[in-house]
Amino acid sequence: MEENNNQQRHQARQQRLKEKVDARIAAAQDERGLLIVITGDGKGKSTSGFGTVARAVGHDLTAGVAQFIKGTWECGERALLQKAGVEFHVMATGFTWETQNREQDQQAAQSIWQEAKRMLASEQYDVVLLDELTYMVAYHYLDIDEVLSALTHRPLKQHVIITGRGCHRSILEIADTVSEIKNVKHAFDHGIKAQKGIDW
Ligand code: ATP
Ligand code: MG
């Protein structure tokens, strides 16, 4: 008897919840490009960005990627997504965690930024991923006002994803969706090296 009552109450609650969610879905009519930021110290920012690009490509959308940090290895997503028609602009020289040449790094950042700016100004791209852009702003390699201007003047329907730690406050302010990935633990801290296909 008691159990039946609990079950009924639970069902009524779920029904009310469902009605609220359905109403919000019906009310959300806006169709426009989103600015999404994936930041924080935990693992999963770039993989989330590339996952969204893969999702978009699966729906035949056009995507472009600008990667602002030169990694030691070429990431696996590039090999796959380039074959699927995604345009990539990757920092060929310059900024890594090891380099000490500020001028060279800044030049490398600027040259990728020119490509990023071109994509942000073009109706051709449905989705633009700016991977690790946050560091370029934090290091003052890119001018924050110029970045904000390119983001706010982009085509109305274009989606943009920005990844990287320590995202500038004013980018967070204009973003539609912001996720902060928290580091609970990471294998690297236990002496496990970066694994192919998982970390890059
Ligand atoms: P991923 O590309 O795996 O989604 P990410 O974009 O969130 O990672 P970045 O800060 O760009 O993280 O670092 C890239 C590399 O550093 C990846 O190999 C990732 O596994 C590793 N990494 C990410 N977070 C941490 C962390 N908290 N401690 C140690 N290594 C990390
Ligand atoms: Mg990353």
Side-chain angles (χ1 to χ4, degrees):
M1 190 68 188
E2 177 72 7
E3 220 163 73
N4 262 348
N5 274 345
N6 278 346
Q7 174 63 14
Q8 272 171 7
R9 270 203 302 275
H10 175 72
Q11 267 179 358
R13 240 191 341 257
Q14 290 303 104
Q15 180 58 30
R16 281 198 301 277
L17 189 64
K18 184 181 177 320
E19 280 164 15
K20 274 190 192 156
V21 172
D22 286 350
R24 283 185 63 185
I25 291 170
Q29 295 291 348
D30 274 15
E31 221 182 283
R32 66 180 179 89
L34 300 173
L35 175 58
I36 299 169
V37 176
I38 314 287
T39 189
D41 294 337
K43 170 176 164 58
K45 298 176 290 295
S46 295
T47 41
S48 169
F50 283 117
T52 309
V53 169
R55 181 176 279 184
V57 169
H59 285 290
D60 295 323
L61 300 184
T62 303
V65 176
Q67 272 188 302
F68 285 92
I69 288 191
K70 178 181 179 271
T72 319
W73 309 285
E74 200 163 285
C75 73
E77 289 97 334
R78 182 178 175 189
L80 180 75
L81 292 169
Q82 242 176 357
K83 276 187 223 148
V86 177
E87 181 181 320
F88 269 73
H89 299 282
V90 181
M91 218 173 245
T93 55
F95 196 93
T96 68
W97 298 116
E98 296 93 37
T99 62
Q100 318 258 317
N101 188 336
R102 205 180 148 81
E103 205 159 294
Q104 187 192 307
D105 291 350
Q106 187 158 12
Q107 261 175 27
Q110 279 295 337
S111 83
I112 300 293
W113 173 241
Q114 296 313 309
E115 300 292 348
K117 257 201 323 201
R118 185 183 47 74
M119 294 193 286
L120 292 171
S122 164
E123 304 249 353
Q124 264 177 36
Y125 302 86
D126 301 303
V127 178
V128 177
L129 170 61
L130 305 173
D131 190 38
E132 323 293 355
L133 174 95
T134 59
Y135 305 102
M136 302 302 105
V137 174
Y139 278 68
H140 302 287
Y141 290 170
L142 302 181
D143 177 45
I144 181 64
D145 291 329
E146 202 183 320
V147 172
L148 291 172
S149 170
L151 290 172
T152 49
H153 292 104
R154 76 188 195 277
L156 195 70
K157 292 206 172 156
Q158 187 182 76
H159 304 289
V160 175
I161 307 148
I162 293 175
T163 75
R165 299 178 193 203
C167 188
H168 195 287
R169 191 166 28 88
S170 45
I171 296 179
L172 297 179
E173 274 164 17
I174 63 163
D176 300 287
T177 297
V178 177
S179 292
E180 184 163 15
I181 300 185
K182 182 181 152 192
N183 180 39
V184 176
K185 55 165 121 167
H186 193 287
F188 187 71
D189 302 332
H190 312 291
I192 301 167
K193 72 174 198 174
Q195 303 287 308
K196 179 166 87 178
I198 299 296
D199 290 304
W200 47 286

